[in-house]
């Protein structure tokens, strides 16, 4: 095995489930249960992230060794690993759901790398745990490819996220009814190893709080501050002010994360509180999607099609609502609600500031004034009405001639000819006002362009691109996954040989499963 230093703080410092026998159960008074991954028939490594491997201290030869596929397929463990599943609850679609827990995620341990960074390794799809409820603890290839690719794509876009190290196919089928319509079928199984400094979620605090177990709640809060917020831990441990500042930090990080989602056109799809990371990382890639034609009302998640609670444009307010649930859970640690209120206020301020900075970047302005925020809102309305591709539009906006603004450089961004004809005059009028504002900002053209290219990616993980890689992978050709990963390592650079990846979603993908419609079945 490679020489790695494990320091498994979560299982060492926090109370675990005294029962170690298998079996689904309610676990009280404990934050985790020991559970070993269930072996699979034929684990085979099909994709990995070289940046993440380097970060962990793994060499190319470690990754390529047969032993690696065994460990990351769940058939073996390295010395120092102490596998466990975490116990948490959550609000799902606005309702308290009680105990959920890691039903198919098994953490292997926490690596401390040469730079002193802590990285927890977690297998997703490695078999049942005490928290699997009625499900099998496994994951299908399609959802594993999606999680693997999007984790790394988001990282390279600069969006806070959990990472992915590896994608292993298991050689075993998994049965899924993709649209819950009685059409269950066998699909290939796979396991992603995801990586993060911490996988603690809002739901980890909600569960002990809901059970009135304030001792356990406090233990977890103290642990989380100590391990995951070391800069805060240096101040007064246990004091209410420390908890207050910690909660405010969580609010800040969450605000920055969601502002980034809005900047790049990412829709999480299932923003339940068990899918909200305490570190403000994008976590649990399920039926997420990328906005093609700009639409604040769009959700990729068919399971949410009715109320569209997790639609693109609602993400900022849903994140806020989730923070109010966390505040409620943490309330027993405070004498009154004042500091929790202040934290929530911090969310508002941070989101507004980040959103404004993104507006300035996306539009190539020196700064975002009140009028510019309005200008952006008006543009959003026009993009939605005109069925305009978000990524192509913003990327091409830097090509508009400020002295003679026309729609010509933006032509590739339009989906519907009829919608375009209807909105053209308004868009032209908007462009005129926009160009005037840019001239006033008087940024040097090169600087303006560079600024815009930093805020507006050329390549994102369009849903249909991921689906094409999945279609290939399901026939045993995994090459598309590493090809996409390679492309998405430099999303802001024009890659001349990769122009085919920066085009509008093709018509065939408009209503195809996996491309625009995704369910929670994974
Ligand atoms: P999600 O909607 O993916 O965040 O999952 C919600 C809950 O269901 C979490 O507790 C998951 O661990 C659990 N879960 C989802 N899929 C499975 C599965 N195939 N086997 C066991 N548990 C699962
Ligand atoms: Mg989840």
């Amino acid at each position: 095995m490679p020489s790695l230093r494990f320091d498994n703080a979560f299982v060492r410092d926090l109370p675990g489930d005294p029962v170690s026998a298998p079996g689904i159960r309610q676990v009280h008074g404990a934050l985790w249960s020991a559970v070993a991954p269930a072996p699979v028939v034929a684990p085979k490594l099909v994709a990995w992230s070289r940046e993440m491997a380097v970060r962990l201290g793994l060499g190319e030869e470690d990754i390529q060794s047969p032993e690696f596929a065994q460990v990351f397929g769940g058939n073996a463990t390295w010395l120092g690993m102490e596998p466990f599943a975490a116990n948490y609850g959550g609000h799902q679609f606005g309702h308290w759901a009680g105990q959920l827990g890691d039903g198919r995620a098994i953490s292997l341990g926490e690596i401390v790398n040469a730079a002193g960074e802590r990285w927890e390794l977690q297998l997703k799809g490695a078999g049942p745990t005490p928290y699997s409820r009625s499900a099998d603890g496994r994951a299908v290839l399609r959802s594993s490819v999606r999680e693997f690719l999007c984790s790394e794509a988001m990282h390279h876009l600069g969006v806070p996220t959990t990472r992915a190290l590896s994608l292993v196919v298991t050689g075993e089928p998994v049965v899924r009814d993709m649209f819950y319509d009685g059409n269950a079928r066998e699909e290939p199984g796979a396991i992603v190893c995801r990586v993060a400094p911490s996988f603690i979620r809002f739901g980890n605090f909600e569960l002990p709080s809901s059970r009135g177990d304030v001792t356990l709640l406090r233990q977890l809060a103290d642990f989380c501050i100590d391990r995951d917020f070391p800069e805060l831990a240096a101040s007064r441990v246990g004091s209410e002010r420390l908890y207050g500042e910690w909660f405010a930090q969580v609010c800040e990080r969450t605000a920055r994360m969601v502002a980034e989602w809005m900047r790049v056109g990412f829709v999480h799809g299932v923003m339940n509180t068990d899918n909200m990371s305490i570190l403000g990382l994008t976590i649990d890639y399920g039926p997420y999607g990328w906005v093609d034609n700009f639409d604040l009302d769009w959700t990729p998640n068919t399971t949410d099609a009715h109320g569209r609670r997790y639609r693109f444009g609602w993400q900022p307010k849903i994140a806020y609502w989730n923070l109010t649930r966390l505040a409620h859970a943490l309330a027993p640690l405070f004498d009154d609600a004042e500091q929790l209120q202040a934290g929530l206020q911090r969310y508002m301020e941070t989101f507004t500031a980040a959103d404004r900075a993104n507006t300035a970047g996306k539009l190539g302005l020196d700064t975002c004034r009140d009028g510019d925020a309005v200008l952006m809102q008006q543009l959003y309305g026009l993009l939605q009405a005109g069925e305009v591709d978000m990524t192509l539009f913003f990327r091409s906006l830097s090509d508009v001639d400020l002295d003679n603004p026309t729609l010509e450089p933006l032509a590739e961004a339009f989906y519907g000819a009829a919608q375009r004809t209807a909105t053209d005059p308004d868009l032209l009028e908007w462009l005129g006002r926009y160009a005037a504002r840019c001239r006033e900002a008087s940024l040097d053209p090169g600087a303006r362009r560079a600024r815009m290219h930093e805020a507006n990616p050329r390549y994102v993980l369009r849903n249909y691109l991921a689906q094409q890689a999945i279609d290939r992978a399901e026939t045993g050709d995994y090459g598309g996954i590493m090809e996409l990963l390679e492309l998405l390592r430099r999303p802001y650079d024009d890659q001349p040989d990769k122009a085919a990846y920066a085009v509008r979603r093709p018509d065939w993908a408009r209503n195809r499963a996996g491309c625009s419609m995704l369910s929670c079945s994974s």
Side-chain angles (χ1 to χ4, degrees):
M1 75 168 265
S3 79
L4 298 169
R5 182 158 84 84
F6 283 95
D7 177 56
N8 303 323
F10 197 88
V11 294
R12 185 188 58 226
D13 298 343
L14 293 171
D17 180 2
V19 181
S20 59
I24 313 300
R25 56 189 176 267
Q26 291 289 311
V27 176
H28 290 264
L31 293 161
W32 55 273
S33 301
V35 57
V40 297
V41 183
K44 182 181 156 200
L45 178 71
V46 296
W48 69 96
S49 157
R50 59 179 193 259
E51 286 86 2
M52 198 63 241
V54 168
R55 200 81 177 258
L56 293 172
L58 293 168
E60 183 75 19
E61 63 295 347
D62 299 319
I63 300 280
Q64 299 293 350
S65 72
E67 182 190 88
F68 185 90
Q70 292 295 326
V71 171
F72 291 89
N75 286 3
T77 48
W78 280 333
L79 199 67
M81 288 178 167
E82 296 176 86
F84 73 94
N87 187 13
Y88 54 81
H91 279 83
Q92 297 186 314
F93 297 94
H95 303 283
W96 175 242
Q99 176 182 303
L100 296 168
D102 285 331
R104 56 166 166 177
I106 297 180
S107 281
L108 297 174
E110 304 166 36
I111 288 180
V112 177
N113 72 7
E117 297 167 345
R118 181 176 299 269
W119 292 106
E120 183 170 332
L121 305 179
Q122 185 175 84
L123 300 184
K124 185 164 172 180
T129 77
Y131 309 101
S132 298
R133 295 176 291 158
S134 59
D136 58 6
R138 293 298 184 188
V140 291
L141 179 59
R142 61 182 155 83
S143 66
S144 305
V145 170
R146 285 167 51 80
E147 173 136 22
F148 173 80
L149 279 176
C150 204
S151 307
E152 291 303 283
M154 292 283 266
H155 166 72
H156 293 298
L157 281 165
V159 183
T161 178
T162 62
R163 302 288 303 275
L165 171 65
S166 58
L167 172 63
V168 169
V169 291
T170 60
E172 291 182 6
V174 173
V175 176
R176 287 289 181 273
D177 181 355
M178 200 196 302
F179 288 110
Y180 307 109
D181 59 2
N183 290 311
R185 65 174 181 108
E186 282 192 350
E187 299 187 45
I191 298 174
V192 170
C193 176
R194 54 185 186 182
V195 188
S198 168
F199 284 99
I200 296 178
R201 304 142 188 269
F202 292 6
N204 294 70
F205 300 93
E206 287 181 278
L207 184 61
S209 184
S210 75
R211 291 168 166 172
D213 193 342
V214 179
T215 309
L216 197 60
L217 172 70
R218 188 181 298 278
Q219 243 175 318
L220 180 63
D222 290 342
F223 173 84
C224 179
I225 293 170
D226 258 357
R227 188 190 66 170
D228 301 336
F229 293 78
E231 64 291 350
L232 284 181
S235 53
R236 306 147 300 274
V237 174
S239 80
E240 202 178 308
R241 266 191 60 201
L242 178 62
Y243 291 139
E245 189 44 41
W246 168 59
F247 177 66
Q249 291 271 330
V250 175
C251 291
E252 264 187 40
R253 285 167 179 253
T254 305
R256 281 199 292 268
M257 171 189 77
V258 176
E260 288 292 86
W261 292 357
M262 302 311 287
R263 173 176 69 85
V264 298
F266 174 80
V267 188
H268 183 284
V270 203
M271 292 175 72
N272 294 332
T273 56
D274 52 307
N275 293 340
M276 296 292 294
S277 138
I278 203 73
L279 284 179
L281 307 173
T282 314
I283 191 173
D284 269 8
Y285 291 91
Y288 68 83
W290 291 83
V291 170
D292 292 310
N293 53 298
F294 186 89
D295 184 354
L296 290 167
D297 295 323
W298 181 68
T299 175
N301 183 358
T302 54
T303 315
D304 188 27
H306 181 62
R308 278 181 290 156
R309 178 181 176 86
Y310 299 139
R311 65 183 76 179
F312 181 39
W314 283 11
Q315 295 187 123
K317 73 173 183 186
I318 293 289
Y320 181 87
W321 187 84
N322 288 343
L323 285 164
T324 69
R325 295 302 84 205
L326 178 61
H328 183 76
L330 298 178
L333 304 180
F334 294 83
D335 282 335
D336 58 48
E338 199 182 316
Q339 292 196 67
L340 291 165
Q341 287 297 350
L344 293 170
Q345 187 57 33
R346 186 91 68 94
Y347 173 86
M348 294 297 207
E349 291 157 8
T350 309
F351 180 79
T352 303
D355 193 44
R356 285 186 161 229
N358 287 341
T359 293
K362 290 185 84 66
L363 296 180
L365 302 173
D366 46 350
T367 174
C368 177
R369 304 179 193 154
D370 289 349
D372 301 329
V374 174
L375 196 69
M376 190 61 139
Q377 289 308 314
Q378 291 167 340
L379 176 62
Y380 284 161
L382 292 168
L383 296 183
Q384 181 143 350
E387 245 203 316
V388 185
D389 189 88
M390 178 178 179
T391 306
L392 291 178
F393 181 91
F394 280 105
R395 187 71 180 190
S396 309
L397 192 57
S398 60
D399 297 330
V400 169
D401 179 355
L402 296 180
D403 297 317
N404 177 28
T406 71
L407 294 174
E408 171 62 29
L410 305 164
E412 289 302 317
F414 293 87
Y415 282 92
Q419 289 89 332
R420 173 171 177 174
T421 313
T423 41
D424 262 10
D426 296 337
L427 253 181
L428 252 181
E429 188 269 339
W430 183 90
L431 266 189
R433 281 188 289 136
Y434 166 66
R437 170 68 181 95
C438 289
R439 289 196 300 269
E440 198 187 305
S442 66
L443 280 183
D444 155 71
R448 172 170 170 272
R449 194 181 173 77
R451 188 166 166 67
M452 291 179 81
H453 280 198
E454 271 171 30
N456 298 309
R458 178 144 186 83
Y459 308 98
V460 294
L461 183 59
R462 289 178 188 268
N463 313 307
Y464 86 91
L465 291 174
Q467 187 57 42
Q468 285 177 324
I470 292 165
D471 289 343
R472 274 172 71 182
E474 287 183 343
T475 68
D477 167 12
Y478 304 103
I481 303 168
M482 290 301 262
E483 280 166 33
L484 269 183
L485 180 60
E486 195 54 35
L487 171 85
L488 296 168
R489 290 175 65 238
R490 295 184 293 123
Y492 299 100
D493 293 357
D494 290 319
Q495 302 177 44
D497 55 329
K498 304 280 176 59
Y501 291 102
V503 296
R504 289 191 305 271
R505 170 202 58 222
D507 273 345
W508 60 260
R510 183 178 285 258
N511 293 313
R512 217 203 111 175
C515 298
S516 59
M517 298 186 297
L518 293 135
S519 74
C520 284
S521 156
S522 57

